[in-house]
Amino acid sequence: MDDSNFRAMAAEIEGLLGIDCTRHDGLGFGTRAVHGYGAVADGTGSINQPIYQTATFAHPGLHRSTGFAYSRCGNPTVLELEDTIAMLEGGCKALAFCSGMAAISCVVKQFSAGDVVLVSDDLYGGTHRLFQDVYAARYGIEFRSVDFSDLAAVDAACAEAAHTDGRLKAFFVETPTNPMMKVADLRALAERAHAHRALLIVDNTFLTSYFQRPLELGADLVVYSGTKYLCGHNDVICGFLVIRDEKLIERTFMDYMSEGDALSPFDAWLMLRSLKTLPLRLDAQQGNALALCEFLKTHPRVTNVLYVGDPDHPAFELSRRQASGFGAMISFYVDSPMRAERVLERVKVITFAESLGGVESLITYPCVQTHGSVPAEIRERLGITDTLLRLSVGIEDVTDLMNDLDQALR
Ligand SMILES: *Cc1c(COP(=O)(O)O)cnc(C)c1O
């Protein structure tokens, strides 16, 4: 599709070229999450957006269109989800993908061989694999690991990248990081990235727009694994890309529909349903996490607890400044590798499973599972050892979670 076609098509579909950011001004986050963006109406008064389970759309006549043509390029259920996500994040446009990795891949495709991207040293394992084994190994994009929680290290990495003749194109940041819970100062990073004409890209999976809005802090793009907190029920794999500047919409949309990574209408509908309870779920999960953090800190078999909501966490004050919540991810060290193994085998209420963010509490063993594809020496340097466990706190009764951890640790 050439540029004029894109413009013609986009003009037909409200929201395709960006949402009206003022549409629900004055309403709170919870109200907007419940009601959604609401641009695609079917005229029946249905409270919920229907599932438009269709591959294609009839044209009323030659050169006339309903605004929709083919569901890889645009579907009313998916568009309502995208508009709602963009509105909640404070962006002008969102794209919904069939996985978080597909969204991240779309972002990386904006770069070319020889370009340099600074990335968190403590990245989600799947992202690390996509960057190194696919885009570095086969497409020549260079990814340099940086500890974004250390601004002096960021400045040093930028100074080094200055020798690449303007090939420094972006910072790709997770905050808090997974599983080490390091926090990056997003405002300070936006200043530094923009001073080098680089983009600031933030993976906001852990906190979501309910607790943290990176675009308001200066980021250019936000990516998500929507599979985690945004979904919250461990029943959909999906991802999002949220864009701040309208100039970036066209190219990313081009890649999205050319490659065919769009989310299905049914999954989009499940996600719309999930978003309605996002604030309730996150408040409940965070409440449980705060209580479990206190419990774990005093447990005799636990040697260290990493939670950004812990006043002893080095970035507690920074978190309070740039986010309105701490989330519900806790990492903790136990006194031996054998203990870690036993906890995984003995938990009963908590489930030993990968993933995070859902209403069910899950526990994982990062060194083997989520970070198994990160080289051993990097894991060791970061502290992802064989005594580290990662807990995604759900909404169960907190005493049941405490009793379960206690019996598993003893
Ligand atoms: C899970 C996850 C991803 C990958 O998303 P999928 O939906 O599994 O493809 C990316 N980033 C973070 C921080 C994640 O936790």
Side-chain angles (χ1 to χ4, degrees), residues 99-101 104 124 127 174 203 205 225 227-228 237-238 356:
S99 72
M101 295 319 304
I104 293 171
Y124 173 69
T127 304
E174 282 179 22
D203 183 332
T205 298
S225 169
T227 313
K228 314 293 169 55
I237 300 279
C238 86
L356 59 104

Side-chain angles (χ1 to χ4, degrees), residues 55-70:
T56 191
F57 299 83
H59 299 302
L62 188 61
H63 304 306
R64 285 167 56 215
S65 165
T66 61
F68 295 95
Y70 189 62

Side-chain angles (χ1 to χ4, degrees), residues 329-385:
M329 295 301 300
I330 301 178
S331 292
F332 61 99
Y333 291 91
V334 291
D335 54 4
S336 73
M338 201 166 71
R339 178 94 49 208
E341 267 187 64
R342 268 203 237 142
V343 168
L344 297 171
E345 281 161 17
R346 287 185 182 177
V347 282
K348 294 191 182 86
V349 177
I350 299 166
T351 306
F352 171 31
E354 270 164 272
S355 201
L356 59 104
V359 289
E360 303 89 358
S361 296
L362 303 181
I363 194 161
T364 53
Y365 199 32
C367 72
V368 174
Q369 293 181 290
T370 51
H371 290 67
S373 57
V374 176
E377 71 273 13
I378 297 181
R379 283 203 306 263
E380 205 57 38
R381 177 160 49 77
L382 294 172
I384 307 173
T385 66

